[in-house]
Amino acid sequence: MTDGRKKWQAEKFEANRPHLRAVAYRMLGSRTEAEDAVQETWLRLMRNDASDVENLSGWLTTVTARICLDLLRSRKTRREEPLTIHIPEPMVVHEAGNGTDPEQDALLADSVGLALLVVLEKLNPAERLAFVLHDMFDVSFDDIAPILGRTTVATRQLASRARRRVQDKPSTTEADLTRQRHVVDAFFTASRDGDLQALLAVLDPDAVFRPDAVAARMGAAGEIRGRADVAKTFQGRARGARLAVINGAVGAIVVIDGQLRIALRCTLSADGMITVIDAMADPEELRKLEIVLIEN
């Protein structure tokens, strides 16, 4: 391939990069993995002479989709390993000057809210690809079918099934998740800082902390009732906790070496106070959880 051809391909790729990032992010739900998928697309383009490709944008989209599909399928395999999990992460808007495009990040964050990301995580890889490419990017089923290795009719059915799951699955609204995040973030920040008064401020007077048997053996106290005692239990702790949506509610998780060790699921009252904190560490129960990491 000549230098002129390489330059032309590089220019076309850069023009398509925002679109490819958008496709990859909706497919993977992770900014980091989306960037990796787009970079892999670039490498494959550089290894191939695409001079005979009539629709380079379509070719790039197809390559990115295939890479994302492989990643989604590998996640499913990893989930079968004890406590090894994939944690999708919503887009976080970065400041200028760090090599990212804040405007593009903001557009992605606005278009793929946390609530939608939670629902998309419930789809299997084939459903997610069919739904994202067709419903979000208007790619024809004829073009999607070869990526999945299925007929056009079967691909159409996949997208239809995914659409029903997205539309019919009860999900927490973006506003509810934002409200929960604000309260739970305040709680765990106060916990790390050892701020007893801040902990008391977000706990219901009748708050309950309920560890399962495994969490109790790991050092958590037994069931604790009352705002003051729950606050003292968490004072100066939870330093490794990271905010996450756990089965549709905001809480926190602790991951060590890529393995989920404990999940803390918070229940809030109508007036926004934490009423229950369930600590789950039983491996069998942890494997059943649906988790979406919330970036800070």
Side-chain angles (χ1 to χ4, degrees):
M1 182 166 48
T2 65
D3 290 342
R5 174 57 62 178
K6 287 183 178 180
K7 181 180 179 181
W8 177 83
Q9 288 190 173
E11 290 173 349
K12 288 294 184 181
F13 178 83
E14 288 304 321
N16 280 275
R17 184 187 288 273
H19 168 73
L20 300 178
R21 290 179 69 225
V23 170
Y25 179 61
R26 287 164 177 79
M27 284 287 298
L28 300 170
S30 164
R31 181 181 183 279
T32 303
E33 287 191 342
E35 293 287 359
D36 289 345
V38 173
Q39 182 62 21
E40 177 61 24
T41 301
W42 160 254
L43 293 175
R44 293 188 186 186
L45 176 63
M46 288 298 97
R47 291 196 294 265
N48 292 274
D49 183 355
S51 57
D52 294 334
V53 177
E54 294 183 4
N55 181 2
L56 186 59
S57 294
W59 186 89
L60 291 170
T61 299
T62 296
V63 171
T64 301
R66 290 184 187 278
I67 293 168
C68 291
L69 183 62
D70 288 342
L71 287 171
L72 289 173
R73 286 170 172 166
S74 69
R75 284 182 193 171
K76 186 176 184 300
T77 301
R78 292 200 304 273
R79 282 193 180 113
E80 295 171 357
E81 300 172 4
L83 299 182
T84 301
I85 62 169
H86 159 74
I87 307 174
E89 50 191 2
M91 180 67 68
V92 59
V93 180
H94 294 273
E95 298 296 330
N98 66 348
T100 65
D101 186 336
E103 182 177 355
Q104 288 297 323
D105 281 0
L107 289 173
L108 284 180
D110 289 342
S111 62
V112 190
L114 184 54
L116 176 58
L117 185 57
V118 170
V119 176
L120 287 177
E121 282 295 310
K122 301 178 187 297
L123 305 179
N124 67 42
E127 289 174 339
R128 187 161 181 169
L129 184 141
F131 175 78
V132 167
L133 290 186
H134 182 266
D135 286 41
M136 294 185 172
F137 293 97
D138 200 29
V139 178
S140 72
F141 289 122
D142 287 340
D143 291 332
I144 299 171
I147 301 174
L148 293 172
R150 306 199 184 197
T151 66
T152 299
V153 172
T155 302
R156 189 187 302 274
Q157 292 172 341
L158 276 173
S160 178
R161 185 164 65 241
R163 195 177 304 117
R164 288 195 301 271
R165 295 184 67 184
V166 169
Q167 294 172 347
D168 297 342
K169 186 74 175 180
S171 61
T172 308
T173 67
E174 199 70 32
D176 287 340
L177 287 175
T178 299
R179 178 180 65 89
Q180 292 178 28
R181 174 180 179 171
H182 177 77
V183 175
V184 176
D185 187 28
F187 177 82
F188 284 103
T189 297
S191 174
R192 287 189 292 270
D193 294 343
D195 190 336
L196 184 61
Q197 293 304 312
L199 285 167
L200 293 170
V202 294
L203 285 168
D204 184 84
D206 298 319
V208 180
F209 171 59
R210 301 186 303 209
D212 65 17
V214 179
R217 289 198 297 270
M218 292 171 62
E223 183 174 299
I224 296 173
R225 292 184 172 272
R227 171 190 286 160
D229 288 339
V230 173
K232 290 176 183 177
T233 298
F234 279 88
Q235 187 178 12
R237 303 183 67 181
R239 297 187 182 279
R242 304 174 68 185
L243 291 189
V245 178
I246 305 170
N247 286 1
V250 177
I253 60 173
V254 175
V255 177
I256 301 175
D257 295 330
Q259 293 191 325
L260 177 62
R261 296 301 186 185
I262 192 166
L264 298 160
R265 192 167 187 267
C266 299
T267 302
L268 274 61
S269 63
D271 57 354
M273 305 292 283
I274 296 175
T275 59
V276 180
I277 303 173
D278 288 299
M280 297 167 281
D282 184 299
E284 291 303 319
E285 295 304 314
L286 290 177
R287 273 190 280 268
K288 299 174 184 177
L289 298 178
E290 295 173 345
I291 298 173
V292 175
L293 182 68
I294 302 175
E295 284 192 348
N296 294 321

